[in-house]
Amino acid sequence: MMKKIAILTSGGDAPGMNAALRACIRAGLFHNIDMYVVYDGFRGLVEGNIHQVNKDFTQDIINRGGTIIRSARMDEFTKLEVYKKAANNLKDFEIDGLIGIGGDGTMRGLESLSQLGIITIGIPATIDNDVGATDQTIGFSTALNTICDCVDKLKDTSGSHQRCSLIEVMGRYCGDLAMFAALAEGAEGVICVEHPLNEKVLFRKLRKMKAQNKSHAIIIISENLLDINDLAKKIEQDTGFDTKTEVLGRLQRGGSPVALDRILAARFGARAIDLLLEEEPTSRVVGIKNNHIIDYPIEEAIKMEHVLESGLRDLIDMLQ
Ligand code: F6P
């Protein structure tokens, strides 16, 4: 039976990471486990920045954005000599199980550690919603709401000037933020990996809108796909729409988590502790599928691809 469990947060921070941390710590303490946190993600693990915590540590963090134990990106964690050091630190602290809260990079880091005999549990938390083992990651709902707040505000000014607004959102290479934001905002267009740019169709539509004297047009675009300033120039030349670009950037990652993310965090955290308390625990990734909390062996989970909800593309096209 496990006696000591440590938790870290890694990769880009996501709203709800603190709620997940709280759930893990409280569930662990409930089962009389000694709970530890690792500051600064995998880097902190390599440096031995590991500290025991009590229930007070989790006071008033459920509603806080970011992560109070900080996060980091550590590309070198793919090297055996680096993650061996991390595994040895855990062994020195006599820590039996490690929970990692983060995105797909975090899951891969945990899998490396599990190859060295550390029992690891992954809790998917990233605004990108790009973890294959789950329908939804912690942080996605909050980021989507933040995007909608921003687009609502942009609509006011866009409509006042009869402009076309190109709004770039995050997601790395996953179109979920763009697609769901487009659906929630009734955007005139969306461009992402799963719904690539079709200049002919988009420009024709914008020309028609301009001819009908429509007040404005909103196009949501995923990051890492194209230069939105180049596209804005082309739209202006081709359609006559005064076109402005907005990159929402990291403000999409901030803010207090919405209730859905806090609840997901509670459910994932409790399952993570349950898995570690099994008689013969193994390394796993938790997730939610069809509203059921599930888990997969970590080596399977890291190979799973996140797929766009079926029918979403058609729904967006139909309602545009
Ligand atoms: O993975 C979350 C995310 O916000 C992505 O959407 C984005 O591409 C990336 O992190 C940016 O990371 P950083 O803040 O380290 O530049």
Side-chain angles (χ1 to χ4, degrees):
M1 163 99 169
M2 295 236 168
K3 289 197 173 63
K4 295 181 179 183
I5 292 173
I7 309 158
L8 58 77
T9 51
S10 164
D13 62 295
M17 278 184 161
N18 285 325
L21 181 66
R22 174 187 188 273
C24 294
I25 293 173
R26 290 193 176 213
L29 293 174
F30 177 83
H31 291 289
N32 297 316
I33 309 291
D34 290 344
M35 297 302 295
Y36 289 76
V37 295
V38 183
Y39 284 89
D40 303 316
F42 288 116
R43 195 174 66 222
L45 204 54
V46 174
E47 291 167 0
N49 200 351
I50 302 169
H51 304 267
Q52 191 172 0
V53 291
N54 58 23
K55 202 169 175 182
D56 290 346
F57 187 79
T58 63
Q59 191 73 38
D60 292 333
I61 64 167
I62 198 166
N63 56 332
R64 279 178 66 181
T67 159
I68 61 164
I69 54 171
R70 299 190 296 269
S71 191
R73 297 195 190 278
M74 196 191 190
D75 296 341
E76 314 88 272
F77 205 77
T78 46
K79 294 181 187 150
L80 176 64
E81 69 268 24
V82 178
Y83 60 82
K84 216 174 187 173
K85 216 168 162 192
N88 287 339
N89 281 337
L90 284 168
K91 286 173 190 161
D92 288 349
F93 274 82
E94 296 177 328
I95 285 168
D96 312 301
L98 175 71
I99 299 173
I101 304 169
D104 53 352
T106 307
M107 304 305 140
R108 283 195 297 275
L110 292 174
E111 203 267 333
S112 302
L113 287 170
S114 82
Q115 283 176 20
L116 299 180
I118 307 289
I119 306 292
T120 60
I121 305 290
I123 293 186
T126 161
I127 65 162
D128 300 337
N129 209 35
D130 60 353
V131 178
T134 187
D135 289 344
Q136 196 146 335
T137 55
I138 296 169
F140 175 69
S141 293
T142 306
L144 187 56
N145 278 296
T146 301
I147 293 170
C148 288
D149 275 353
C150 294
V151 176
D152 286 348
K153 291 187 169 85
L154 285 167
K155 275 181 178 173
D156 292 344
T157 168
S158 193
S160 307
H161 292 268
Q162 280 199 304
R163 280 175 174 156
C164 172
S165 289
L166 305 187
I167 303 165
E168 185 181 288
V169 300
M170 281 186 159
R172 206 176 284 271
Y173 300 104
C174 174
D176 277 28
L177 279 175
M179 295 283 270
F180 282 99
L183 185 63
E185 286 296 328
E188 278 66 37
V190 56
I191 304 168
C192 58
V193 176
E194 300 83 350
H195 195 289
L197 170 64
N198 183 332
E199 272 192 14
K200 224 169 125 187
V201 172
L202 180 68
F203 289 9
R204 194 192 310 129
K205 180 175 187 167
L206 292 174
R207 275 197 303 271
K208 196 170 159 201
M209 288 179 72
K210 185 75 186 155
Q212 290 169 338
N213 205 24
K214 294 278 185 213
S215 64
H216 68 105
I218 298 286
I219 316 290
I220 314 268
I221 304 174
S222 258
E223 64 177 348
N224 298 323
L225 273 186
L226 48 82
D227 184 325
I228 59 168
N229 293 312
D230 285 351
L231 182 62
K233 273 185 216 140
K234 272 188 174 178
I235 290 177
E236 259 184 9
Q237 280 161 11
D238 194 278
T239 70
F241 247 121
D242 179 14
T243 304
K244 300 289 176 201
T245 59
E246 320 289 343
V247 177
L248 300 188
R250 287 173 188 78
L251 69 81
Q252 294 163 91
R253 291 216 301 246
S256 178
V258 297
L260 268 180
D261 278 328
R262 299 181 200 187
I263 291 162
L264 195 59
R267 296 172 81 188
F268 281 179
R271 173 61 72 95
I273 294 293
D274 280 352
L275 289 169
L276 288 173
L277 294 185
E278 280 178 357
E279 224 163 64
E280 287 182 25
T282 55
S283 293
R284 320 223 15 123
V285 172
V286 301
I288 186 164
K289 293 262 175 184
N290 302 319
N291 209 26
H292 289 288
I293 303 298
I294 42 88
D295 51 84
Y296 296 101
I298 199 158
E299 61 281 4
E300 249 178 58
I302 57 169
K303 289 186 204 134
M304 294 168 86
E305 292 222 349
H306 178 74
V307 280
L308 189 74
E309 198 175 296
S310 80
L312 182 63
R313 202 182 350 238
D314 293 343
L315 181 62
I316 290 173
D317 288 344
M318 182 176 76
L319 299 182
Q320 261 175 20

